[in-house]
Amino acid sequence: MGKLIKGVSKNARFFICDTKDLVQEAMDIHSCSATGISILGRVLTAAGMMGKDLKSESDSLTIRINGDGPAGTIITTANMNGEVKGYMSNPQVDTEEHDTGQIQIGKAVGNGTMYVIKDMGLKDPFSGLVQLQTGEIGDDLAYYFYTSEQIPSVVALGVKVNQDYKISCAGGFIIQLLPGAENEFIDRLEEKLKAIRPVTELFEGGFDIYRIAKLLYEDMGSDVEGKLIEDYEILEESELSYKCDCSKERYLRGLITLGRKEIEQILEEDGGKMEVECHFCMKKYEFTKEDFDGIDF
Ligand code: ZN
């Protein structure tokens, strides 16, 4: 489980989340390297926050990154209930500099594109496409928000992996300016963001998501220390979890699109059964001839 808060003030709104447990689960499911989970964990964290902005239970939000780096394609999907799942083509990617332990995320992702797809049950899902700017995910999403949705945003994402390959902390925040945001607020927010430490260091320093919200809105001036730049209100507190919605029924519906002839051929070649593995949760489903009996296709 991860925890998320969503809030608003006069000039901005924000999402802040702690996704340590969710990211650990993703790391276990996909057997990720430290580099792999640093990337997938960031995209899962971002999707979790963005999914909270959907309006209906059946809507979904997908972030798809097609980079030319060794990480390959990365896909994450989230819904408004905070259920997130993800996949990457090379979870064992390794761009860690072994002398410093620094993980080169941009190098692993490479150049390419980022799609954000919002499926809201309409005929054509909303889809925004941007070129990757740095491949560091947070910057790329901020660029996406600005160019595709015209919303000036700050996106901070972080995943820290321990020496023993366990997630030490993970999470992030998104701050978005509201229309007509005042220049004074923007200036002070920029100053604040320059001054605060990366989100993983905040978590390691004992900050929780509530304390991070306060930090973001705290005045910097020494004479007014602790005074808020402006008052904010927390609108929602909820949980984020790694959850896949796959089922045998769903895979069956997918398989029958291949056509009976193709299915029968595969079954014959594979000794009367076929196995399908879900890319998101690694669950395996087995199908035999009986599963297709009585289906008209
Ligand atoms: Zn699944």
Side-chain angles (χ1 to χ4, degrees):
M1 284 288 179
K3 283 194 162 45
L4 173 138
I5 50 173
K6 182 175 164 180
V8 68
S9 68
K10 188 181 168 203
N11 286 291
R13 61 184 205 133
F14 60 86
F15 300 83
I16 307 173
C17 67
D18 177 339
T19 53
K20 180 185 170 185
D21 296 345
L22 181 167
V23 171
Q24 181 67 59
E25 195 169 345
M27 187 180 192
D28 295 342
I29 288 171
H30 295 285
S31 308
C32 294
S33 63
T35 304
I37 198 59
S38 296
I39 299 165
L40 185 60
R42 277 171 166 79
V43 189
L44 287 167
T45 298
M49 291 189 277
M50 291 165 73
K52 280 284 164 187
D53 225 13
L54 294 166
K55 302 285 180 275
S56 155
E57 296 265 341
S58 55
D59 296 353
S60 69
L61 175 133
T62 298
I63 302 173
R64 183 189 177 102
I65 297 171
N66 294 323
D68 62 3
T73 298
I74 302 135
I75 302 170
T76 63
T77 296
N79 62 25
M80 70 176 287
N81 297 323
E83 295 167 349
V84 191
K85 62 178 181 178
Y87 159 81
M88 68 191 290
S89 37
N90 182 13
Q92 275 89 43
V93 58
D94 184 6
T95 56
E96 190 172 344
E97 290 189 341
H98 290 284
D99 44 343
T100 60
Q102 198 74 35
I103 292 171
Q104 307 287 335
I105 291 174
K107 196 171 138 190
V109 173
N111 296 308
T113 51
M114 174 188 272
Y115 289 89
V116 175
I117 303 138
K118 292 182 200 173
D119 189 343
M120 294 172 285
L122 304 171
K123 193 159 157 268
D124 298 308
F126 166 86
S127 168
L129 166 67
V130 291
Q131 293 295 316
L132 292 170
Q133 299 299 296
T134 61
E136 300 278 337
I137 318 298
D139 298 341
D140 301 306
L141 275 165
Y143 182 73
Y144 157 78
F145 279 122
Y146 192 70
T147 57
S148 284
E149 300 193 16
Q150 287 78 49
I151 305 171
S153 308
V154 176
V155 183
L157 304 166
V159 172
K160 180 90 187 282
V161 184
N162 276 338
Q163 295 293 338
D164 61 357
Y165 288 95
K166 290 280 175 209
I167 301 299
S168 158
C169 56
F173 58 80
I174 298 175
I175 308 171
Q176 299 190 314
L177 293 178
L178 295 177
E182 296 156 315
N183 287 331
E184 195 200 342
F185 175 83
I186 298 170
D187 292 346
R188 292 175 109 166
L189 183 64
E190 276 178 359
E191 285 303 313
K192 167 65 71 172
L193 290 164
K194 270 186 234 158
I196 65 170
R197 290 171 288 152
V199 67
T200 47
E201 286 183 30
L202 295 176
F203 283 124
E204 283 186 317
F207 280 60
D208 64 10
I209 51 179
Y210 298 94
R211 185 71 187 84
I212 293 174
K214 188 157 180 274
L215 176 74
L216 290 168
Y217 279 90
E218 250 171 21
D219 201 301
M220 302 283 289
S222 56
D223 54 333
V224 281
E225 204 162 356
K227 183 175 169 285
L228 297 180
I229 295 173
E230 67 183 40
D231 243 342
Y232 62 88
E233 187 190 347
I234 290 176
L235 301 173
E236 182 185 330
E237 299 168 82
S238 54
E239 282 178 343
L240 296 176
S241 59
Y242 194 99
K243 192 164 180 221
C244 187
D245 54 354
C246 68
S247 65
K248 187 166 180 179
E249 174 63 31
R250 184 175 280 209
Y251 276 103
L252 187 67
R253 269 182 277 148
L255 285 170
I256 62 177
T257 64
L258 295 173
R260 185 171 289 279
K261 209 172 148 222
E262 177 81 18
I263 294 289
E264 281 173 356
Q265 200 177 336
I266 298 170
L267 284 170
E268 198 177 319
E269 281 166 11
D270 294 347
K273 59 181 183 198
M274 60 201 284
E275 198 177 68
V276 181
E277 188 179 48
C278 176
H279 282 319
F280 292 101
C281 68
M282 300 304 192
K283 196 168 169 186
K284 292 184 174 77
Y285 296 96
E286 196 179 272
F287 295 89
T288 60
K289 190 178 168 295
E290 285 70 44
D291 290 304
F292 301 96
D293 284 348
I295 300 174
D296 186 22
F297 72 110

